[in-house]
Amino acid sequence: MTTLPIESQKTAQIRFQLNGEETDVSFAPYKTLLEVLREDLGHTGTKHGCELGECGACAVLLDGKPALSCLVLALECGGRRVLTVEGLGEDGNLHPLQDAFADLGAAQCGYCTAIKSAKRSREICAGAQAIFRFSKPSKPQCSRSQTRSVL
Ligand code: FES
């Protein structure tokens, strides 16, 4: 069996908005958004977990809605808006939601956090979605957003 060099596998290209910046990327057409973010763009804040759509460690906001990037082909993201945990804060500071999670010792993936089986990345994205949607979301609006994020 012959394996093509990595660079010659990059036959797909898209332009999309990543954390507010227009971004062009070339990649192998079989890659997921998670793989392209991490391997082709160096955005390692989005984590590999189960890669089965079960853990939420790979959660991003896709056009403002929580999405599991391990289940989305990068080819589907042309012209769309992707927000990762790296894009939530401003001026090098964490988003208040990320700060709150950090203050409580809640790591991103949630595997080792002693709060049931909560998955941080998914919750942060869902919380951020609620903030973007409602500006000052109520507790029920946050809860609804996080419940919906259990995709
Ligand atoms: S890596 Fe677990 S849901 Fe995507």
Side-chain angles (χ1 to χ4, degrees), residues 2-42:
T2 306
T3 304
L4 292 173
I6 300 266
E7 285 307 310
S8 67
Q9 295 178 20
K10 293 185 174 186
T11 58
Q13 292 181 329
I14 59 167
R15 170 174 283 196
F16 70 118
Q17 197 182 85
L18 175 58
N19 297 333
E21 292 188 15
E22 287 299 316
T23 302
D24 294 299
V25 63
S26 300
F27 53 90
Y30 55 80
K31 283 191 167 185
T32 63
L33 176 59
L34 172 64
E35 293 167 326
V36 169
L37 288 172
R38 292 182 56 86
E39 298 165 11
D40 297 289
L41 292 168

Side-chain angles (χ1 to χ4, degrees), residues 47-58 68 70:
K47 303 299 183 194
H48 274 284
C50 64
E51 295 187 63
L52 297 169
E54 294 177 4
C55 73
C58 66
L68 299 173
C70 71

Side-chain angles (χ1 to χ4, degrees), residues 21-121:
E21 292 188 15
E22 287 299 316
T23 302
D24 294 299
V25 63
S26 300
F27 53 90
Y30 55 80
K31 283 191 167 185
T32 63
L33 176 59
L34 172 64
E35 293 167 326
V36 169
L37 288 172
R38 292 182 56 86
E39 298 165 11
D40 297 289
L41 292 168
H43 283 252
T44 54
T46 305
K47 303 299 183 194
H48 274 284
C50 64
E51 295 187 63
L52 297 169
E54 294 177 4
C55 73
C58 66
V60 298
L61 292 182
L62 184 58
D63 292 333
K65 295 182 180 163
L68 299 173
S69 62
C70 71
L71 299 182
V72 177
L73 280 175
L75 272 172
E76 299 175 71
C77 298
R80 300 178 77 181
R81 290 177 293 121
V82 175
L83 186 67
T84 69
V85 291
E86 290 124 329
L88 287 175
E90 287 181 7
D91 302 324
N93 298 312
L94 293 177
H95 186 279
L97 202 55
Q98 292 170 303
D99 244 348
F101 275 84
D103 284 349
L104 295 171
Q108 186 174 356
C109 71
Y111 284 132
C112 60
T113 306
I115 303 173
K116 298 182 182 169
S117 61
K119 303 298 181 268
R120 303 285 76 86
S121 205

